[in-house]
């Protein structure tokens, strides 16, 4: 089954996205990112207060005869995307208030299971020049799996590390695509809805693994492919506009191949080698008799040769004694107990991480 897709990996397929997805083997891609037409329903020109024309989206591909025709289109491409997606793959779709609610309802009708809606808050949104509505300062991404019980990928540790070791939230504050990143042709935007690479960085890093393939059925200027290549992933792009295809090809050919894929993988703590506290004693990282204290120095315990610790009243594992001295139901001893290193208290977990590094 996968043999038929190998020749299409890291390629841009020209044509209608529904037809092209139907031509791919079922269950052959690991993820889908889609930036479909928003059906903005714009009428007339939009002018700034100084009478200059706003360079907005007025392309034919964003125009539909009715909401019913847009719904039909959405159902067809989402159905095709569902077929080509692996059982444990996931799909992202981005939109605005014009379309995202309709797309979300269709996703659920087709059996997708919504995992998150992510709000992309723009640091520099376009103002509402007419002053008759709030400034549209965000877009919405829906992230979903093929079903409620699918074992989708979520690189939690990578997202936490990206956010300075704080669990990443579902509101992402990022600038729109501008400056040197914005591709231009003859002084104008080469593509009206080019997404910033930072946005795709989070999408791809969070929900795919190195070497996996992400499909973008509305490839446009190639942002999905560019970020996929930079993160050691593969891509398949589908685009029907020859001009956009040429722009994307030129963009992609300038991106070098990733040399060290280890730089793009954040190991899960669940897959890291187990290091018992006693191993620190065996390896000489902690000597029997070493005094451990909590961060506020309210409690103290001595390290024993067998890897247990003993306080004034309790003896046992670092977790058990940590819980008992606090009169708590449980305790993460690795974070609770600290070692005095040159007058500075350091969690004993730093010693565990050092030993894990040696074991790899």
């Amino acid at each position: 089954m996968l043999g038929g897709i190998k020749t299409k990996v890291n390629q841009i397929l020209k044509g209608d996205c529904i037809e092209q997805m139907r031509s791919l083997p079922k269950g052959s891609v690991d993820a889908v990112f889609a930036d479909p037409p928003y059906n903005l329903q714009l009428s007339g020109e939009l002018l700034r207060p100084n009478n200059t024309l706003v360079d907005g989206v007025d392309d034919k591909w964003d125009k539909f005869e009715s909401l019913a025709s847009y719904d039909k289109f959405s159902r067809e491409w989402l159905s095709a995307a569902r077929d080509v997606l692996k059982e444990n793959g996931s799909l992202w779709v981005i939109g605005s208030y014009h379309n995202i609610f309709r797309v979300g309802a269709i996703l659920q009708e087709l059996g997708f299971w919504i995992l998150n809606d992510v709000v992309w808050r723009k640091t520099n949104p376009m103002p509402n020049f007419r002053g008759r509505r709030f400034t549209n300062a965000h877009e919405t991404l829906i992230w979903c799996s093929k079903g409620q019980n699918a074992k989708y990928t979520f690189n939690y540790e990578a997202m936490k590390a990206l956010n300075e070791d704080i669990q990443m939230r579902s509101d992402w504050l990022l600038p729109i695509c501008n400056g040197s990143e914005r591709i231009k042709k003859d002084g104008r935007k080469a593509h009206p809805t080019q997404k910033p690479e930072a946005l795709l960085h989070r999408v791809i890093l969070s929900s795919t693994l190195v070497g996996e393939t992400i499909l973008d059925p509305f490839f446009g200027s190639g942002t999905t492919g560019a970020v996929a290549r930079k993160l050691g992933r593969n891509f398949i792009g589908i685009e029907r506009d020859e001009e956009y295809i040429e722009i994307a090809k030129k963009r992609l050919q300038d991106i070098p191949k990733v040399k060290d894929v280890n730089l793009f993988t954040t190991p899960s703590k669940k897959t890291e080698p187990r290091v018992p506290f006693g191993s620190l004693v065996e390896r000489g990282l902690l000597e029997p008799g070493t005094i451990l204290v909590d961060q506020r120095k309210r409690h103290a315990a001595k390290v024993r040769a067998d890897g247990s610790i003993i306080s004034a009243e309790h003896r046992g594992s670092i977790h058990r004694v940590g819980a008992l001295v606090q009169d708590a139901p449980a305790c993460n001893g690795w974070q609770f107990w600290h070692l005095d290193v040159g007058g500075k208290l350091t969690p004993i977990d730093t010693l565990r991480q050092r030993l894990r590094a040696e074991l790899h």
Side-chain angles (χ1 to χ4, degrees):
M1 179 183 291
L2 295 180
I5 202 171
K6 287 182 178 179
T7 58
K8 299 182 179 182
V9 169
N10 297 323
Q11 301 294 323
I12 305 174
L13 311 181
K14 182 181 179 182
D16 176 79
C17 70
I18 298 168
E19 293 177 1
Q20 288 291 350
M21 282 191 282
R22 294 294 187 202
S23 73
L24 298 174
K26 291 186 176 182
S28 57
V29 301
D30 301 283
V32 174
F33 174 80
D35 183 9
Y38 286 11
N39 192 25
L40 294 178
Q41 307 144 43
L42 299 179
S43 58
E45 295 182 340
L46 180 59
L47 301 176
R48 296 183 177 87
N50 63 2
N51 270 343
T52 57
L53 182 66
V54 175
D55 187 10
V57 181
D58 56 3
D59 301 77
K60 289 182 179 180
W61 49 258
D62 193 62
K63 291 179 169 51
F64 292 82
E65 292 181 359
S66 63
L67 292 177
S69 65
Y70 184 78
D71 289 350
K72 180 176 182 294
F73 166 73
S74 297
R75 187 170 283 102
E76 288 179 352
W77 78 256
L78 284 168
S79 178
R82 182 177 174 83
D83 286 344
V84 76
L85 190 62
K86 292 180 180 178
E87 288 304 307
N88 291 325
S90 61
L91 177 144
W92 291 81
V93 59
I94 187 171
S96 68
Y97 70 87
H98 301 88
N99 71 323
I100 199 65
F101 302 108
R102 309 188 75 84
V103 170
I106 293 169
L107 280 168
Q108 291 180 315
E109 290 170 3
L110 291 175
F112 285 97
W113 184 257
I114 295 178
L115 302 169
N116 275 114
D117 64 325
V118 175
V119 175
W120 167 29
R121 294 171 52 216
K122 303 174 183 179
T123 59
N124 50 346
M126 183 184 294
N128 187 276
F129 293 109
R130 290 175 178 158
R132 298 178 64 183
R133 300 185 186 183
F134 296 110
T135 296
N136 294 324
H138 77 276
E139 292 183 33
T140 301
L141 298 94
I142 296 176
W143 177 41
C144 53
S145 62
K146 285 189 74 170
Q148 184 175 359
N149 299 317
K151 296 179 180 179
Y152 58 90
T153 294
F154 179 49
N155 298 317
Y156 171 81
E157 286 83 4
M159 291 295 97
K160 189 176 179 182
L162 195 64
N163 198 38
E164 296 187 337
D165 213 29
I166 300 172
Q167 186 179 71
M168 186 168 285
R169 296 162 31 135
S170 61
D171 54 335
W172 297 353
L173 185 63
L174 297 168
I176 62 173
C177 184
N178 59 11
S180 60
E181 186 183 343
R182 169 67 75 174
I183 301 173
K184 293 189 176 181
K185 184 175 181 180
D186 300 326
R188 292 173 58 86
K189 297 175 184 176
H191 193 288
T193 63
Q194 181 184 341
K195 295 298 183 288
E197 291 194 6
L199 185 71
L200 269 297
H201 186 102
R202 291 192 185 184
V203 167
I204 294 173
L205 190 64
S206 68
S207 53
T208 64
L209 302 175
V210 168
E212 290 188 340
T213 300
I214 183 166
L215 167 71
D216 186 337
F218 307 96
F219 202 58
S221 60
T223 302
T224 300
V227 177
R229 285 181 68 93
K230 291 178 181 179
L231 293 177
R233 275 72 167 174
N234 299 308
F235 73 89
I236 296 175
I238 302 174
E239 178 56 54
R240 63 185 182 185
D241 189 299
E242 185 65 44
E243 186 174 337
Y244 292 159
I245 292 174
E246 291 307 311
I247 291 168
K249 282 183 177 179
K250 185 177 185 305
R251 180 180 185 182
L252 291 165
Q253 70 184 11
D254 294 332
I255 300 174
K257 187 176 181 180
V258 167
K259 294 181 180 179
D260 185 359
V261 295
N262 293 321
L263 297 175
F264 303 94
T265 301
T266 305
S268 167
K269 290 183 179 179
K270 294 179 182 179
T271 63
E272 290 181 328
R274 183 175 177 273
V275 176
F277 178 71
S279 297
L280 304 184
V281 182
E282 290 176 331
R283 296 294 192 94
L285 296 176
L286 281 177
E287 297 290 337
T290 301
I291 303 294
L292 303 179
V293 296
D294 68 297
Q295 194 169 19
R296 296 183 182 179
K297 295 187 176 181
R298 295 170 300 178
H299 308 288
K302 283 185 180 180
V303 176
R304 293 167 53 87
D306 62 3
S308 63
I309 63 175
I310 184 168
S311 68
E313 299 178 354
H314 308 287
R315 186 181 73 180
S317 71
I318 55 173
H319 311 296
R320 173 176 165 76
V321 175
L324 289 171
V325 297
Q326 298 177 88
D327 194 24
C331 171
N332 181 348
W334 291 108
Q335 295 294 335
F336 179 74
W337 295 110
H338 289 64
L339 185 68
D340 191 323
V341 180
K344 182 180 180 181
L345 291 181
T346 304
I348 58 174
D349 193 39
T350 59
L351 298 177
R352 178 173 64 161
Q353 296 304 326
R354 188 194 308 176
L355 186 52
R356 275 179 172 161
E358 293 176 3
L359 293 175
H360 275 295

